[in-house]
Amino acid sequence: MAPLLNRVGPVPSRAHTAPCQEPPAPRLIDRVTRRHLLGVAASALLAAGSVFRLAQAPREASPPVALDDPPSGEPLPGAPLPGEPSFDEMYRGRRIQGESVASRDPHAPGGWSVTVDGRPLGLMRRADGGYLSTVDHFQSYATPLAAARAAVDELGPSQALSGRGH
Amino acid sequence: MAHTRKNQSSLSRAERRRFVDAVLKLKRRGEYDEFVRMHIDYYVSDGEDRLRVAHMTPSFFPWHRRFLIEFERALQRIDSGVTVPYWDWTKDRSPAASLWGEDLMGGNGRRSDRRVTTGPFAYRNGHWVIKEGVTDGEFLTRDLGRPHDPLDLPTRRDVAWAMADPRYDVPPWDSRAPRGFRNKLEGWTSASGKERWRNHNRVHRWVGGHMLGGGSVNDPVFWLNHAFVDLLWDRWRRRHPRSAPYLPARPPGPGSSQYRRVVARHEPMPPWDVRPDDLLEHKRLYTYGS
């Protein structure tokens, strides 16, 4: 039989993304506190962002499709059109930013560069046109923005991204 | 000699302890995290124009079968009497099930930060520090049943729906495949709301926390879910003896959207250079008991 676990590809070291090596408990408390303060400071911005988003008239989620529908090979309704706008907003106390980089980096994951509080969020493209994130591999979203917000929902108030991609 | 994988609910106290001890030792040696990394590295989504062997693809079953065999062998180098138990989530459906007891998987994450605080994989015991995750927390997280918006584990009916399909897989051989046992059991749909997750995918969603994301192998219950998924593949084959046991038989051609993106029955499956056809039978290696 073949040897165990032939590793493929470079595996990024977390040492590059972990800013410091503090004892676990104080580190968490420190992080929660910083998050909390950031969240308070950002709430005004968040309100402003909501107004901005309303003005953008976001698309509705795609309608449910019967399970046994034949595959069309086409993106689902609601999948992002070319030129899906970049975003930079506060969402639940987190800064989420995203821009399409497909034109200058065809190998970028999902064709987008998305960050949460400055740390990269790995995005992948699903064949139906949707986007999956490394935080939630089992649900796809119509836009990178929706995937980023869902990742923030899943992270909750006390977790941050490690910066690890796929 | 073939060994037997047992239902986790029928393990003796000693069997539970030996399994947990072997997993903890593998972690201490650094080998466990190799498995976590490998699963992250091989998660290729079907919207990407490259070969995908592990998910959203016909080789979902054989790839994870081999992955489990490798894990089980690693455990057996530590304790030759250990096998990977399976979790029949159609029967053991509650966070109160013995699966989540102190001497096996430990319990749910706490509400504030989803940190698992009981059992062998609780952070405070010092044996289970997350090193390969997509989040920066060092503790294992769970969100069993997603209490803020509850959903149930897949049911016997969900499994029966997949099991009744006589085709192993169908074009386009990805998460959009409208029929076929593989996609129905892996669990991708085009539905919305809570119906979007079926079977294997729904179990990942139900456990939540680490099991939801790229670092799902960080939660040892990953292996118990996949052992049951592997058992269900056996059941499907017994139920459909005349069906092709694996499809596609031949690689999709240059005109197909799946050209060079899926593994056909006799093609090598990275990283092991083993073909799906080599993994259709496993009785020399292991069998499933009750």
Side-chain angles (χ1 to χ4, degrees):
Chain A
M1 282 288 191
L4 173 72
L5 294 177
N6 301 315
R7 283 258 302 283
V8 289
V11 176
S13 164
R14 282 173 48 82
H16 297 302
T17 55
C20 53
Q21 294 294 327
E22 292 166 296
R27 187 178 156 200
L28 177 69
I29 291 164
D30 177 50
R31 201 162 64 223
V32 170
T33 307
R34 275 192 277 119
R35 286 277 142 59
H36 179 69
L37 292 174
L38 180 66
V40 170
S43 52
L45 275 173
L46 179 60
S50 301
V51 172
F52 176 68
R53 286 197 303 278
L54 280 174
Q56 282 191 308
R59 260 185 291 281
E60 293 295 318
S62 51
V65 180
L67 281 173
D68 271 1
D69 272 1
S72 64
E74 299 297 322
L76 287 179
L81 304 169
E84 183 73 26
S86 298
F87 55 89
D88 182 350
E89 66 172 36
M90 294 304 296
Y91 176 73
R92 300 182 76 174
R94 304 292 186 92
R95 185 172 186 181
I96 54 178
Q97 297 165 284
E99 60 172 335
S100 172
V101 293
S103 55
R104 63 173 191 266
D105 180 6
H107 300 295
W112 276 69
S113 166
V114 174
T115 59
V116 177
D117 291 339
R119 294 193 178 180
L121 172 68
L123 282 195
M124 291 181 295
R125 209 70 199 268
R126 208 181 140 192
D128 67 5
Y131 291 83
L132 299 163
S133 83
T134 48
V135 174
D136 183 350
H137 269 177
F138 299 96
Q139 181 167 351
S140 54
Y141 295 87
T143 65
L145 174 59
R149 287 180 183 160
V152 167
D153 291 341
E154 199 55 46
L155 285 170
S158 60
Q159 290 192 80
L161 293 172
S162 67
R164 198 187 194 309
H166 286 99
Chain B
M1 199 189 85
H3 56 257
T4 304
R5 293 182 182 168
K6 295 182 179 174
N7 188 317
Q8 57 79 25
S9 68
S10 62
L11 295 181
S12 69
R13 187 182 298 260
E15 286 168 333
R16 287 199 289 270
R17 194 187 63 240
R18 285 174 71 176
F19 174 71
V20 166
D21 285 352
V23 172
L24 293 178
K25 196 159 184 184
L26 205 61
K27 175 78 169 175
R28 199 154 57 239
R29 291 178 172 186
E31 286 182 56
Y32 192 94
D33 291 324
E34 294 273 318
F35 288 97
V36 182
R37 276 196 290 274
M38 184 171 165
H39 195 260
I40 294 173
D41 290 342
Y42 277 87
Y43 201 109
V44 175
S45 186
D46 57 4
E48 297 172 58
D49 188 13
R50 57 191 178 116
L51 179 68
R52 53 178 202 281
V53 289
H55 304 93
M56 305 178 174
T57 192
S59 50
F60 168 75
F61 287 103
W63 194 90
H64 283 89
R65 173 165 286 175
R66 179 59 185 250
F67 194 50
L68 271 165
I69 290 170
E70 297 286 358
F71 177 66
E72 197 164 54
R73 282 183 184 152
L75 293 179
Q76 289 172 349
R77 285 195 288 273
I78 291 165
D79 180 345
S80 60
V82 166
T83 58
V84 177
Y86 64 89
W87 168 27
D88 180 347
W89 24 257
T90 68
K91 291 184 178 142
D92 295 307
R93 307 178 53 74
S94 153
S98 61
L99 170 67
W100 308 106
E102 291 268 358
D103 61 351
L104 197 52
M105 290 291 109
N108 196 4
R110 63 187 181 192
R111 184 181 276 197
S112 59
D113 58 4
R114 297 179 183 162
R115 180 195 299 224
V116 170
T117 60
T118 58
F121 309 106
Y123 181 72
R124 66 174 171 203
N125 292 334
H127 305 302
W128 206 258
V129 177
I130 305 297
K131 294 181 177 154
E132 299 290 339
V134 298
T135 53
D136 70 346
E138 293 187 320
F139 49 86
L140 178 64
T141 56
R142 289 183 187 138
D143 188 26
L144 302 185
R146 197 173 64 173
H148 71 273
D149 185 12
L151 81 166
D152 291 326
L153 282 163
T155 63
R156 202 172 299 187
R157 280 187 62 187
D158 296 325
V159 170
W161 164 75
M163 207 61 76
D165 198 315
R167 287 146 302 195
Y168 175 78
D169 206 345
V170 301
W173 316 114
D174 61 17
S175 71
R176 298 168 301 172
R179 278 171 284 279
F181 170 68
R182 191 275 310 167
N183 201 31
K184 287 180 176 178
L185 210 283
E186 187 179 359
W188 298 102
T189 73
S190 54
S192 60
K194 293 176 190 177
E195 292 306 304
R196 78 173 78 241
W197 306 279
R198 295 287 172 116
N199 293 314
H200 155 269
N201 281 5
R202 195 174 179 92
V203 176
H204 278 269
R205 173 66 266 184
W206 187 87
V207 176
H210 274 98
M211 272 285 273
L212 191 64
S216 57
V217 179
N218 278 305
D219 192 332
V221 83
F222 171 92
W223 305 102
L224 282 69
N225 177 32
H226 270 279
F228 187 55
V229 166
D230 189 71
L231 176 159
L232 292 174
W233 185 24
D234 274 5
R235 270 191 206 162
W236 178 83
R237 288 202 57 202
R238 280 203 302 276
R239 170 129 178 225
H240 301 283
R242 294 180 187 191
S243 294
Y246 184 90
L247 291 169
R250 275 183 277 282
S256 163
S257 68
Q258 299 303 307
Y259 179 56
R260 291 182 174 167
R261 289 165 70 170
V262 299
V263 168
R265 181 170 172 176
H266 299 284
E267 289 188 296
M269 193 173 58
W272 303 292
D273 197 24
V274 60
R275 305 166 305 164
D277 191 62
D278 299 328
L279 287 158
L280 298 178
E281 298 297 338
H282 60 75
K283 291 198 169 35
R284 285 187 303 111
L285 294 175
Y286 64 89
T287 57
Y288 284 103
S290 52

